[in-house]
Amino acid sequence: GALELRLDTERREHQRAHRELETNLRGLSIGIRQKEELIRTLVRNEMEANSAAQEAKERVGKMERQVAEYREAVEKAAKELEAQEAELREASAEARAALQAKVQTQRVYTEKLKAAERQLGDAKRQLSALEKMQAERRRDEHRIDVLESEVARMRGHAGELKRKLKAEEAAERAAVEKLTKELARVRREAELERRRAQKLATENERQRSQLQGKAREV
């Protein structure tokens, strides 16, 4: 009857609220996972950019030292050649050969110097590009802070939804239990009333039979 209808309505209402809370909680959990993955990606990109920039700096430093060594070798060979040019006309064939070897050495170092300077220029340009990327990754730090704040807020909201869900489940159990007990009480009372009515009908029938018997005796 009315109590059964109330019990069914109560159950449906609690189930609707339960589903709504679960849907919100699932959406929130997905949002948290997505933002956490984005944070991990940004942090990983920043670490990779820092590592690449550091490697490029070390490579540039090494090449700068190599260029300095080649430059020093070229300058040394040039000074030796300059000092010996005055003696070139009077030098013996053996001295001329030694001088020619020094000329060749200077040429070799000059070519090495040019090649190293080209490589150094390329490395510096690459380093400049990496440093720009590194600066962009540093700007992502603010975005990471914002995302972490959003995740913390969303986790707080998720905790609140879980508490609401738990409270809703407890409220549903309490309401259903109350209505179930009330329905059971009403059914017991109805059964008692039915038995009393049945007993009364039986007693009435017995009395009617007795009266009819006495009437026949008269």
Side-chain angles (χ1 to χ4, degrees):
L3 277 176
E4 291 173 339
L5 181 60
R6 278 181 59 195
L7 180 59
D8 184 62
T9 302
E10 192 79 25
R11 280 176 173 162
R12 289 177 182 275
E13 185 61 27
H14 282 293
Q15 287 171 357
R16 183 197 61 75
H18 192 278
R19 284 194 301 271
E20 184 177 341
L21 285 171
E22 284 188 330
T23 300
N24 291 340
L25 187 57
R26 278 196 300 272
L28 201 56
S29 298
I30 292 171
I32 288 172
R33 285 197 300 272
Q34 289 174 340
K35 288 183 184 296
E36 286 178 335
E37 179 60 31
L38 180 56
I39 288 171
R40 284 192 291 271
T41 300
L42 291 172
V43 170
R44 184 170 59 249
N45 290 345
E46 182 181 3
M47 292 176 64
E48 289 174 355
N50 290 340
S51 177
Q54 183 60 33
E55 289 178 4
K57 286 179 181 177
E58 292 174 358
R59 187 163 58 250
V60 166
K62 181 179 179 181
M63 296 181 71
E64 284 177 339
R65 289 191 295 274
Q66 190 176 40
V67 165
E69 290 174 4
Y70 288 156
R71 187 174 287 119
E72 184 180 350
V74 169
E75 290 173 356
K76 181 180 177 182
K79 287 179 181 179
E80 290 177 354
L81 285 173
E82 186 179 352
Q84 293 179 4
E85 277 180 353
E87 304 171 9
L88 183 59
R89 292 192 183 88
E90 301 174 2
S92 62
E94 184 178 345
R96 288 174 182 274
L99 189 60
Q100 188 62 34
K102 288 183 179 181
V103 171
Q104 184 61 31
T105 298
Q106 185 190 26
R107 288 175 180 168
V108 169
Y109 276 110
T110 299
E111 289 302 318
K112 286 184 178 181
L113 175 60
K114 289 179 181 179
E117 285 177 336
R118 284 194 299 272
Q119 292 175 359
L120 177 59
D122 292 339
K124 283 184 175 180
R125 283 189 291 274
Q126 183 182 12
L127 175 59
S128 177
L130 287 171
E131 285 177 338
K132 287 181 181 178
M133 184 185 300
Q134 191 179 25
E136 291 175 1
R137 294 294 173 263
R138 279 196 294 269
R139 284 195 293 273
D140 284 341
E141 290 178 1
H142 173 69
R143 189 180 178 192
I144 290 172
D145 291 340
V146 172
L147 286 170
E148 287 177 341
S149 297
E150 289 179 357
V151 168
R153 178 183 57 77
M154 291 169 74
R155 284 188 180 282
H157 189 197
E160 183 181 348
L161 284 178
K162 286 178 181 178
R163 288 190 294 273
K164 284 184 178 179
L165 190 59
K166 189 175 180 180
E168 175 62 31
E169 290 172 349
E172 179 185 2
R173 285 194 300 270
V176 169
E177 183 179 357
K178 180 181 178 181
L179 285 173
T180 301
K181 286 181 178 179
E182 189 175 351
L183 182 61
R185 180 184 60 79
V186 169
R187 284 175 175 171
R188 284 195 303 271
E189 290 176 353
E191 178 62 19
L192 288 173
E193 185 64 28
R194 185 189 66 78
R195 289 179 181 179
R196 280 196 298 268
Q198 186 177 18
K199 183 178 180 181
L200 181 60
T202 301
E203 179 64 20
N204 289 338
E205 181 64 27
R206 185 184 65 79
Q207 290 178 359
R208 187 167 51 253
S209 296
Q210 287 179 349
L211 289 173
Q212 288 176 350
K214 287 180 180 180
R216 281 194 298 270
E217 289 176 1
V218 172

